[in-house]
Amino acid sequence: QVQLVESGGGLVQAGGSLRLSCAASGSIFSINVMGWYRQAPGKQRELVAHITSGGSLYYADSVKGRFSISRDNARNTVYLQMNSLKPEDTAVYYCSYYSDPEYRYWGRGTQVTVSS
């Protein structure tokens, strides 16, 4: 089992920045994928970005050039630096982890609100 603890959400004005952090603990395998999803009211949960333990990256088109994902493997922690935030970025952001795709873990979520 894996526990994920997110931090860094909050309220920010459009154009501002936030950095989300997610620390994983428990039965962590060295080879894994960690990432961030988000879900806005009335919308489906979507993948924002992920990063593998080997450093492979993925970004949703909507955040390319604005968000940056990184990780500290020694601390089993993943970060999401969010710049040039837009009101449409407002959502609950969820941290995710998996090594075996059959066993995906989720954080509780952290609210990001971007005001116009």
Side-chain angles (χ1 to χ4, degrees):
Q1 59 183 15
V2 175
Q3 295 183 70
L4 303 171
V5 180
E6 300 132 325
S7 62
L11 175 64
V12 65
Q13 293 184 358
S17 298
L18 286 173
R19 190 178 80 156
L20 306 182
S21 299
C22 173
S25 62
S27 300
I28 306 300
F29 288 83
S30 296
I31 300 175
N32 60 63
V33 179
M34 297 186 71
W36 294 92
Y37 286 71
R38 68 186 181 187
Q39 188 166 26
K43 294 186 177 180
Q44 188 175 350
R45 185 177 297 188
E46 64 174 340
L47 175 63
V48 176
H50 77 222
I51 183 168
T52 71
S53 49
S56 296
L57 302 171
Y58 170 84
Y59 294 99
D61 287 343
S62 59
V63 306
K64 286 181 180 177
R66 300 189 298 120
F67 291 10
S68 179
I69 191 169
S70 61
R71 63 186 292 160
D72 182 342
N73 288 335
R75 295 184 174 184
N76 295 315
T77 300
V78 64
Y79 307 92
L80 185 68
Q81 179 66 46
M82 304 185 294
N83 299 323
S84 301
L85 283 161
K86 304 174 181 179
E88 50 262 46
D89 295 317
T90 295
V92 178
Y93 284 70
Y94 297 90
C95 179
S96 70
Y97 162 96
Y98 72 85
S99 183
D100 183 343
E102 291 287 311
Y103 301 95
R104 188 185 295 268
Y105 297 87
W106 299 92
R108 298 179 199 149
T110 184
Q111 178 71 47
V112 172
T113 302
V114 184
S115 62
S116 60

